[in-house]
Amino acid sequence: MTTAPARFDDSLRGILFMCLVAIVVFPLLNALVKFLLTNDYSIVQIMWMRSVVHMAWMLGLFLPYGGLRILRSNRPGLQLVRSSLQLVALVLYIIALSHVSLTAITMAFFTAPLMVVALSVPMLGERVGPRRWAAVAVGFAGAAVIFRPGGEIIHWSFLLVLGAAAAYALFQIQTRQLAAQDDYRTTAIYTIIVALVATTAAGPFFWTWPTELTHWGAFIGLGVFGGGGHFLVIKAYQYGRASVVGPFDYGQLLGAAVVGFLWFGDVVDLWTWLGAGLIVASGIYIARREAVQGAGRGPKAHL
């Protein structure tokens, strides 16, 4: 039986992994994307470099232990649909990132967990009580504050952010569906496969050779931070329960604000922070309610 100190140590490790990826890794990953966009590199080239190094990370981590059998999926069609949703979310997110500050788009993207709650009813058959529906409403009210008339995110860029969040929410729903059917290593590898194939096919038509060492470093960093971040998330949930570790993902808001200010000079106004606060509060409340509901149903597998 696992002792209380051991459980505490594991939870602490999970929290530290999540804080590292949320506050440091993912904000730097998004900053590198924005940096390359501002230097006129195409979205296709950026995604191809990220996909190649990301796939190398996954294969290097998992093949030595699982062999080629980890490439075999029980639901290959669902895996490819899920991977396609990841591609859609990435494309919309990157396009929006070229028009919106790093901090604001990070805040807005956290509407995705709220969409997961709403979609879990028709797609997973889960029951959502009035308290969680109220929390979802509060979260979307926060998004409305961020997207308010006269705010930074306007017109079609607003739709792109919501579209990216919706695609990612569907991606998360299918991650839950696959958790009981495929090894998590198989799912991790399939995550980026559609983006890799699509950008490899289109890459030669959009390729521009980097002319500076900093640009080469940025391209390599895309894959390192992308693959490394995914690995750290897996480790975080390996050590800690989702209800304990998950809320620390909101540390991305702090990381994005710091990186955005230091790198791009982004300054976020009080109203945007207020909207982000509503989203974070609703997300944490939903996570805690799901933990309470889950305790009565027994342990659940998570990716």
Side-chain angles (χ1 to χ4, degrees):
M1 182 178 295
T2 304
T3 64
R7 287 197 298 270
F8 176 79
D9 289 343
D10 283 347
S11 294
L12 184 59
R13 289 190 187 96
I15 290 169
L16 290 175
F17 277 126
M18 182 58 78
C19 287
L20 176 61
V21 72
I23 298 175
V24 179
V25 176
F26 283 159
L28 285 176
L29 171 64
N30 292 330
L32 289 173
V33 172
K34 192 171 183 69
F35 169 75
L36 290 168
L37 288 170
T38 59
N39 282 277
D40 297 325
Y41 291 100
S42 72
I43 293 174
V44 173
Q45 183 172 349
I46 291 170
M47 291 188 59
W48 181 79
M49 288 293 290
R50 175 179 174 177
S51 301
V52 167
V53 184
H54 186 140
M55 181 62 76
W57 258 97
M58 296 298 100
L59 294 177
L61 286 170
F62 299 140
L63 280 182
Y65 300 98
L68 292 177
R69 67 178 180 274
I70 67 169
L71 300 177
R72 199 159 46 239
S73 169
N74 296 315
R75 296 289 304 277
L78 188 58
Q79 286 283 12
L80 292 176
V81 170
R82 174 180 175 273
S83 185
S84 298
L85 287 167
Q86 169 81 336
L87 173 60
V88 172
L90 281 173
V91 170
L92 295 178
Y93 189 92
I94 291 174
I95 295 174
L97 192 58
S98 63
H99 298 277
V100 182
S101 73
L102 179 64
T103 310
I105 195 173
T106 302
M107 292 175 174
F109 194 71
F110 273 107
T111 55
L114 308 177
M115 296 182 188
V116 170
V117 175
L119 291 171
S120 67
V121 176
M123 297 188 67
L124 298 176
E126 295 184 359
R127 295 180 61 186
V128 176
R131 294 181 183 179
R132 278 190 286 174
W133 279 122
V136 169
V138 169
F140 280 115
V145 172
I146 294 175
F147 298 134
R148 68 196 180 280
E152 179 184 11
I153 305 177
I154 56 174
H155 304 310
W156 56 271
S157 56
F158 157 75
L159 297 176
L160 289 179
V161 178
L162 287 185
Y168 189 71
L170 290 168
F171 168 87
Q172 292 286 66
I173 290 288
Q174 293 189 333
T175 300
R176 292 188 186 182
Q177 292 175 326
L178 287 163
Q181 302 185 53
D182 277 343
D183 188 289
Y184 77 92
R185 294 168 296 184
T186 304
T187 299
I189 290 173
Y190 270 90
T191 295
I192 204 68
I193 198 166
V194 171
L196 177 61
V197 171
T199 55
T200 298
F205 302 100
F206 296 91
W207 181 263
T208 300
W209 284 102
T211 56
E212 299 182 22
L213 286 177
T214 54
H215 297 178
W216 278 110
F219 275 116
I220 294 171
L222 290 179
V224 172
F225 286 126
H230 192 84
F231 173 73
L232 289 172
V233 170
I234 290 172
K235 296 299 289 184
Y237 284 108
Q238 177 184 333
Y239 284 111
R241 297 191 308 273
S243 59
V244 174
V245 172
F248 287 90
D249 191 27
Y250 289 103
Q252 284 192 57
L253 300 180
L254 174 62
V258 172
V259 172
F261 176 75
L262 294 177
W263 197 331
F264 304 104
D266 295 339
V267 178
V268 180
D269 63 27
L270 181 61
W271 283 103
T272 302
W273 278 115
L274 174 61
L278 292 173
I279 293 173
V280 171
S282 63
I284 292 176
Y285 178 81
I286 287 169
R288 300 308 299 171
R289 286 295 301 171
E290 288 183 347
V292 171
Q293 297 294 326
R297 296 192 296 265
K300 294 166 63 177
H302 50 71
L303 182 63

